[in-house]
Amino acid sequence: MTRRIGFPCCGLIRRLHLPRLLLLGVACHSVVCGFLQSVLEGSANLPHLASNGSNHDQDYCETEAKLASSLDFWTLSSADLIAVLPVDPVKENYVRKVKNCIFSVAFPTAFKSRVRLVAVSKEVLEDILDLDLSVSETDDFIQLVSGEKIVSGSVPLAHRYGGHQFGIWADQLGDGRAHLIGIYMNSLVVSDDEVWRDQFYNGNIMKERGAVVLRAAKSWFRIGSLEILAHYGELDLLRTLLDFIIQEHFPSVDVKEPNRYMDFFSIVVSETAQLIALWMSVGFAHGVCNTDNFSLLSITIDYGPFGFMEAYNPDFVPNISDDERRYKIGNQANIGMFNLNKLLQALNPLLDSRQKQLAVQILEGYPVLYYTRFSKLFKAKLGLLGEREEDDDLIAFLLHLMEMTEADFTMTFRQLSEITQSQLLELNIPQQFWALKTVSKHKLFPAWVSQYLLRLKSNMNDSDSERRRRMTSVNPRYVLKNWMAESAVQKAERNDFSEVRLLQEVLQHPFQKHSAAEKAGYSAPTPSWAEDLRVSCSS
């Protein structure tokens, strides 16, 4: 049987425990763009967070008691960042090429019309930012998250980077609509301002509502952040930025060690393999895996028109702008290798001949790292314990059946997590397990079930109830499918944000059954009206 390496995610949303986070405000052309990014995006660590005078080294109870009830005593600071990394001396805001700097000062332009807060994360506000939820109801907060107000101490910055886009060097890129303005996560505001968009690049230009989403991440530095400096021979600045990133985000690497860039590269290779394996494990397609969209911290940032694969298909492409299907879900692991090679090329000017040879060996180890992580994740999805030689074939066999029957990826694994072994043994698939029932139509399904049940018997000290508990903890019942987002957008355009908030609530706990989500059909087959939904780089 041919084994295919390449298909779909979920460690994309990592819980943030650090007090230092970078706020990125992005002007979006529509509610759909803003909402999708707020749900899935990673986050950053640039300005220092100081809130209400609290000390993040204090224990939780003491910090909790000091939640700020207003923004009057809540400050941001970009000092640590711009003290080390140079800022473009030109202060005017216009499109231009810049050199010998990492950032440009760029103040956001506020909406002209009324703005409304659509969704906010209580957990982020209170657990990370030390702000009481009531703050989100104030005018100051609305002005902050919509770009109208800049908190004292914050210097809004646009980041300069380059990148390989669809395999071709695109030279200087950098943030245009995005500003590094402060600290926060999962906040979405909309206005009545209209923005012209050509969603599918077909000349069908139409107006859509403007929106802004604020995102948080430990860092927004990406492979392209280094590529642009290497490309223009700004090697001193390249070394400065690398040392800053290592000191801030790679504590296991000694910034004074001569081999620090090798150690850094080794970690990035390993963590990138892990990230893409996680993407694959939940059927997530990034959409535009350009080097300017690939994080140096291996977190999910700046994804394009992403999509969660519905019917299992290694050739699934969420982005109709990707004519060559370069970023199809089954090619993401290979693209990871391509992007890491571009990272190595950016590092090469700082490496001696011996280090270059070692770095090539590190990169050559990526495929094994990736497949090892991929295999481990899928064995967990099937509830397998221990190691057996036949495990990879068992996984490949199931995926083959799913591909041939066009079974729903997410719900097939979820329903395997919920069905009993006795039901499988009898090949009695109740109608409620609709995705699994689709797979069962293949003539080889009984053979797979026989192999699977035999393998489960080799699980030591296991029970069927424990298997199901274990599997439901790693196989989500809900993922953000395009039709769900489209449904929320259609309501939001009528100023009904109820489904936006429902999705936010459900997707915070995707492994738990949610009555309102069930009623909305989030675990049901895709409705017929949504079968032809498409997104592009301009969606």
Side-chain angles (χ1 to χ4, degrees):
M1 182 177 294
T2 301
R3 181 176 300 150
R4 273 180 143 155
I5 301 179
F7 67 68
C9 132
C10 213
L12 12 153
I13 310 178
R14 298 184 177 181
R15 180 158 179 81
L16 302 172
H17 297 287
L18 302 178
R20 289 169 55 80
L21 298 171
L22 175 64
L23 257 184
L24 184 70
V26 183
C28 296
H29 53 83
S30 66
V31 178
V32 88
C33 174
F35 174 62
L36 295 186
Q37 289 182 345
S38 73
V39 170
L40 279 170
E41 198 98 38
S43 312
N45 165 9
L46 301 182
H48 178 70
L49 171 62
S51 52
N52 197 28
S54 65
N55 184 343
H56 284 276
D57 292 330
Q58 295 171 328
D59 61 39
Y60 177 75
C61 293
E62 185 174 354
T63 303
E64 184 180 41
K66 293 187 177 181
L67 294 180
S69 57
S70 77
L71 295 179
D72 292 340
F73 305 103
W74 190 79
T75 61
L76 310 178
S77 173
S78 304
D80 291 350
L81 186 67
I82 60 180
V84 178
L85 303 177
V87 177
D88 179 17
V90 177
K91 297 298 188 291
E92 289 78 9
N93 190 356
Y94 61 93
V95 177
R96 63 189 184 277
K97 278 197 172 185
V98 297
K99 288 190 175 182
N100 301 309
C101 68
I102 303 298
F103 298 105
S104 295
V105 174
F107 283 87
T109 301
F111 284 123
K112 296 179 180 179
S113 61
R114 179 172 64 103
V115 298
R116 282 154 288 179
L117 183 67
V118 174
V120 66
S121 170
K122 180 178 185 293
E123 290 80 2
V124 173
L125 273 182
E126 297 189 347
D127 296 348
I128 296 178
L129 301 182
D130 295 337
L131 288 172
D132 190 272
L133 182 61
S134 62
V135 173
S136 65
E137 301 173 0
T138 66
D139 290 340
D140 282 347
F141 184 82
I142 301 296
Q143 292 171 5
L144 169 65
V145 299
S146 64
E148 184 177 348
K149 176 178 180 177
I150 300 299
V151 174
S152 175
S154 171
V155 179
L157 302 171
H159 176 37
R160 170 203 180 203
Y161 53 83
H164 281 79
Q165 298 192 328
F166 293 90
I168 300 172
W169 174 246
D171 206 3
Q172 178 181 294
L173 299 166
D175 292 327
R177 295 178 302 163
H179 298 73
L180 308 182
I181 62 172
I183 302 167
Y184 184 43
M185 181 179 179
N186 284 359
S187 168
L188 170 64
V189 296
V190 299
S191 75
D192 293 324
D193 286 20
E194 293 180 325
V195 182
W196 288 102
R197 300 298 292 183
D198 185 353
Q199 184 173 1
F200 298 112
Y201 304 107
N202 58 5
N204 185 22
I205 302 175
M206 58 188 299
K207 287 183 177 180
E208 295 181 347
R209 297 177 70 184
V212 172
V213 60
L214 271 78
R215 312 178 311 213
K218 291 180 289 185
S219 174
W220 291 104
F221 290 121
R222 67 284 311 277
I223 291 175
S225 302
L226 305 181
E227 282 188 289
I228 191 68
L229 303 179
H231 180 80
Y232 284 102
E234 299 172 27
L235 302 188
D236 288 340
L237 186 51
L238 174 62
R239 187 176 289 105
T240 297
L241 178 57
L242 266 169
D243 289 346
F244 176 84
I245 293 170
I246 289 171
Q247 188 163 350
E248 288 287 311
H249 304 294
F250 292 79
S252 64
V253 178
D254 185 351
V255 75
K256 297 179 181 179
E257 165 63 41
N259 288 324
R260 61 189 180 279
Y261 302 141
M262 301 283 298
D263 297 336
F264 160 80
F265 183 61
S266 179
I267 293 173
V268 175
V269 168
S270 177
E271 291 299 311
T272 297
Q274 174 70 7
L275 176 65
I276 298 178
L278 285 166
W279 285 355
M280 302 298 276
S281 74
V282 292
F284 176 81
H286 181 286
V288 186
C289 295
N290 297 330
T291 58
D292 54 285
N293 294 336
F294 247 57
S295 166
L296 289 172
L297 271 62
S298 305
I299 54 179
T300 306
I301 63 169
D302 287 0
Y303 40 81
F306 73 90
F308 282 91
M309 180 173 58
E310 297 185 25
Y312 177 72
N313 176 13
D315 293 329
F316 166 65
V317 176
N319 177 13
I320 67 167
S321 303
D322 188 359
D323 297 329
E324 298 180 356
R325 308 180 76 84
R326 175 180 176 84
Y327 296 135
K328 63 184 180 182
I329 200 165
N331 200 38
Q332 290 187 134
N334 294 327
I335 293 300
M337 182 77 165
F338 176 91
N339 290 350
L340 289 169
N341 183 56
K342 296 306 178 186
L343 171 59
L344 178 55
Q345 290 180 23
L347 295 177
N348 269 337
L350 305 183
L351 306 179
D352 60 32
S353 58
R354 182 188 64 85
Q355 291 172 333
K356 290 177 182 177
Q357 291 178 348
L358 291 174
V360 169
Q361 293 176 11
I362 291 171
L363 184 58
E364 289 174 346
Y366 167 83
V368 173
L369 286 172
Y370 168 75
Y371 195 76
T372 299
R373 274 73 180 275
F374 174 91
S375 179
K376 182 178 180 180
L377 287 167
F378 274 80
K379 284 194 287 188
K381 288 175 73 67
L382 287 177
L384 307 182
L385 299 177
E387 302 289 335
R388 294 291 185 277
E389 290 184 2
E390 67 271 17
D391 287 349
D392 288 346
D393 289 335
L394 186 66
I395 295 168
F397 192 177
L398 175 60
L399 294 176
H400 173 72
L401 299 184
M402 292 169 63
E403 183 177 1
M404 293 300 99
T405 58
E406 298 183 340
D408 186 280
F409 177 81
T410 298
M411 293 310 296
T412 296
F413 280 99
R414 178 66 185 201
Q415 290 168 8
L416 273 175
S417 309
E418 297 174 344
I419 197 169
T420 65
Q421 289 191 45
S422 60
Q423 288 173 315
L424 279 176
L425 180 62
E426 298 170 5
L427 296 177
N428 176 25
I429 312 297
Q431 190 59 45
Q432 71 193 71
F433 300 125
W434 55 269
L436 200 52
K437 204 170 185 67
T438 299
V439 185
S440 72
K441 295 177 181 178
H442 197 285
K443 64 181 181 180
L444 294 179
F445 181 70
W448 181 82
V449 169
S450 178
Q451 292 180 26
Y452 179 53
L453 293 177
L454 182 62
R455 173 62 178 86
L456 289 179
K457 286 183 178 179
S458 68
N459 284 351
M460 299 293 293
N461 302 317
D462 200 21
S463 66
D464 194 40
S465 60
E466 177 59 23
R467 170 194 68 85
R468 283 181 284 148
R469 184 205 62 77
R470 198 167 58 247
M471 289 175 64
T472 54
S473 71
V474 296
N475 289 308
R477 188 171 178 87
Y478 312 109
V479 295
L480 184 61
K481 296 181 178 180
N482 280 349
W483 75 264
M484 296 156 60
E486 179 65 18
S487 176
V489 167
Q490 290 178 5
K491 292 178 181 177
E493 289 177 342
R494 302 191 298 269
N495 291 324
D496 176 1
F497 303 113
S498 60
E499 192 158 13
V500 171
R501 292 168 182 138
L502 173 61
L503 283 171
Q504 183 185 30
E505 181 181 357
V506 170
L507 294 174
Q508 284 180 333
H509 307 283
F511 303 100
Q512 300 175 13
K513 198 168 184 178
H514 193 291
S515 58
E518 295 298 306
K519 184 177 180 180
Y522 291 170
S523 63
T526 298
S528 57
W529 64 264
E531 291 176 356
D532 295 324
L533 281 178
R534 298 291 183 270
V535 292
S536 74
C537 286
S538 190
S539 293

